[in-house]
Amino acid sequence: MKYTTRKSAVLLLSDGTIFHGKSIGISGTTFGEVCFNTGMTGYQEIFTDPSYFGQIMVATNTHIGNYGVNENEVESNGIKIAGLVCKNFSFNYSRVDASGSLEDYFAKHNLICISDVDTRALVSYIRENGAMNAVICTDGTPIEELKASLAKVPDMKGLELASKVSTKEPYFYGDENAKYKVSALDLGIKTNILRNLAKRDCYIKVFPYDASYTDLASFNPDGFFLSNGPGDPEPLDGAIAVAKEILANNKPLFGICLGHQVIGLANGISTYKMFNGHRGINHPVSNLITGKGEITSQNHGFAVNREELEANPEMEITHLHLNDGTVAGMRMKNKNCFSVQYHPEASPGPHDSSYLFDQFVENLKK
């Protein structure tokens, strides 16, 4: 193996803390909110998840890139994270069905990555001090210049990002002869959500984030879906209005993550930015309806207000996060509507919560 020297790189946090590492070879700077994911696998799905738009991802798993990439294992049309921080970046990979290396994949999308970082220390720091803006620099820009540029980056609180990742034009997914029709509002939808609906005999029309209820209803669907996505839900006035009209017309409605938060706002329940958020594929959730536990895939930095939800006579909490007691799922008592604050479609897993798609289809039957 040929020996190569890699350039020094830095991760600068908005509070002035600096972590040192090495560049994987892509020169430049990138800004975003730094957060961490505790998944031990599925890095390609994480990197292409639109919900991560605008975020610098810290991988807690020690090895990233060791199994390469597969062109069929993406959740959108490209990489959505702003940058990557990892301990060991594998330039060599070993996997039977890999279609290429992660290094080439990053080069194709010009994604800046810093490796050889003490990620355990970094994650501990974020856990103690909260998610914050940061910059990765691999081109030698002076620290003072980076600090000045970083100070201009807007906070995630109040930031509308769905428009950055949503489709520009409506499109169809699935078999047009399927039994059920679903109108989906794309706030940053993952492809595996569409796969899960399609394999349950649904034909989906996906609409841009700013589509109106009239637009979605023109498909004459059996039900409606509000997708996951990045950013703060509160600025999404259009999506909130759409949710209100769906509920006013008493149509079946299912929401995931950002869609879940939008449904909460449509019912007068506020949302808030979490100190760290939940990101990983090992989050424990209690199903209050069945009494069973679920291990779930999660990715969110905002949540609905539990106290306000419990005080709303038309709402019911269905799932709770067992680590901190935050709301992980809810439903309306007088409407055909439910939502969850995690990813039942997972990808790469776990699949404990895939029954929620069956539940939605049962609601369509009614």
Side-chain angles (χ1 to χ4, degrees), residues 39-99:
M40 297 298 289
T41 186
Y43 55 71
Q44 188 176 0
E45 291 90 334
I46 293 168
F47 302 159
T48 57
D49 180 350
S51 297
Y52 284 120
F53 184 86
Q55 293 179 319
I56 292 175
M57 178 53 56
V58 181
T60 61
N61 187 22
T62 306
H63 299 281
I64 295 296
N66 52 312
Y67 58 83
V69 296
N70 185 307
E71 59 188 12
N72 296 319
E73 295 176 355
V74 296
E75 291 300 326
S76 66
N77 59 358
I79 292 177
K80 293 297 185 290
I81 61 171
L84 175 68
V85 182
C86 63
K87 175 61 177 175
N88 298 319
F89 187 91
S90 298
F91 294 88
N92 299 305
Y93 62 95
S94 177
R95 187 185 182 193
V96 172
D97 58 353
S99 56

Side-chain angles (χ1 to χ4, degrees), residues 159-180:
L159 201 57
E160 185 279 300
L161 293 177
S163 59
K164 307 293 185 183
V165 295
S166 178
T167 182
K168 303 302 180 187
E169 299 291 337
Y171 65 92
F172 297 93
Y173 191 98
D175 181 1
E176 62 181 343
N177 298 312
K179 187 174 182 179
Y180 307 105

Side-chain angles (χ1 to χ4, degrees), residues 344-364:
E345 83 291 344
S347 183
H351 304 293
D352 296 25
S353 307
S354 60
Y355 69 89
L356 290 165
F357 290 102
D358 299 322
Q359 182 178 321
F360 180 50
V361 172
E362 285 298 317
N363 288 351
L364 300 181

Side-chain angles (χ1 to χ4, degrees), residues 80-320:
K80 293 297 185 290
I81 61 171
L84 175 68
V85 182
C86 63
K87 175 61 177 175
N88 298 319
F89 187 91
S90 298
F91 294 88
N92 299 305
Y93 62 95
S94 177
R95 187 185 182 193
V96 172
D97 58 353
S99 56
S101 71
L102 186 60
E103 178 189 12
D104 291 340
Y105 192 60
F106 278 6
K108 176 183 176 182
H109 293 276
N110 195 34
L111 186 92
I112 295 171
C113 170
I114 178 174
S115 68
D116 296 80
V117 173
D118 185 346
T119 49
R120 290 187 300 177
L122 174 57
V123 169
S124 294
Y125 191 86
I126 298 171
R127 288 281 298 170
E128 291 294 323
N129 296 277
M132 65 184 79
N133 285 339
V135 55
I136 298 173
C137 177
T138 63
D139 63 6
T141 301
I143 293 297
E144 292 306 314
E145 287 186 29
L146 294 176
K147 287 182 178 180
S149 298
L150 183 56
K152 300 176 183 178
V153 177
D155 290 333
M156 190 64 72
K157 174 65 177 174
L159 201 57
E160 185 279 300
L161 293 177
S163 59
K164 307 293 185 183
V165 295
S166 178
T167 182
K168 303 302 180 187
E169 299 291 337
Y171 65 92
F172 297 93
Y173 191 98
D175 181 1
E176 62 181 343
N177 298 312
K179 187 174 182 179
Y180 307 105
K181 293 166 64 178
V182 175
S183 285
L185 190 65
D186 177 13
L187 305 176
I189 198 165
K190 287 177 64 181
T191 302
N192 207 40
I193 290 174
L194 299 175
R195 295 190 195 106
N196 271 274
L197 289 172
K199 74 179 183 180
R200 288 168 172 81
D201 212 14
C202 293
Y203 184 48
I204 309 104
K205 186 172 184 180
V206 183
F207 291 84
Y209 82 103
D210 57 353
S212 66
Y213 172 76
T214 301
D215 294 332
L216 274 69
S218 66
F219 186 47
N220 192 28
D222 298 291
F224 296 81
F225 176 77
L226 303 182
S227 86
N228 62 291
D232 191 334
E234 289 191 358
L236 296 173
D237 295 332
I240 296 168
V242 167
K244 288 180 178 179
E245 288 200 63
I246 294 171
L247 296 174
N249 286 277
N250 203 23
K251 300 295 184 181
L253 177 61
F254 178 26
I256 289 177
C257 288
L258 186 58
H260 161 87
Q261 297 158 15
V262 166
I263 290 172
L265 290 166
N267 281 281
I269 301 166
S270 67
T271 59
Y272 63 94
K273 190 177 188 302
M274 304 173 74
F275 190 63
N276 273 306
H278 297 152
R279 298 176 180 90
I281 58 176
N282 52 3
H283 286 257
V285 163
S286 175
N287 184 324
L288 302 184
I289 307 302
T290 66
K292 295 181 179 180
E294 303 170 21
I295 302 302
T296 65
S297 174
Q298 301 207 7
N299 169 22
H300 62 102
F302 291 82
V304 299
N305 187 297
R306 178 174 175 175
E307 290 73 24
E308 293 178 18
L309 178 55
E310 291 175 326
N312 190 317
E314 297 182 349
M315 305 294 293
E316 178 183 13
I317 296 176
T318 57
H319 300 76
L320 285 177

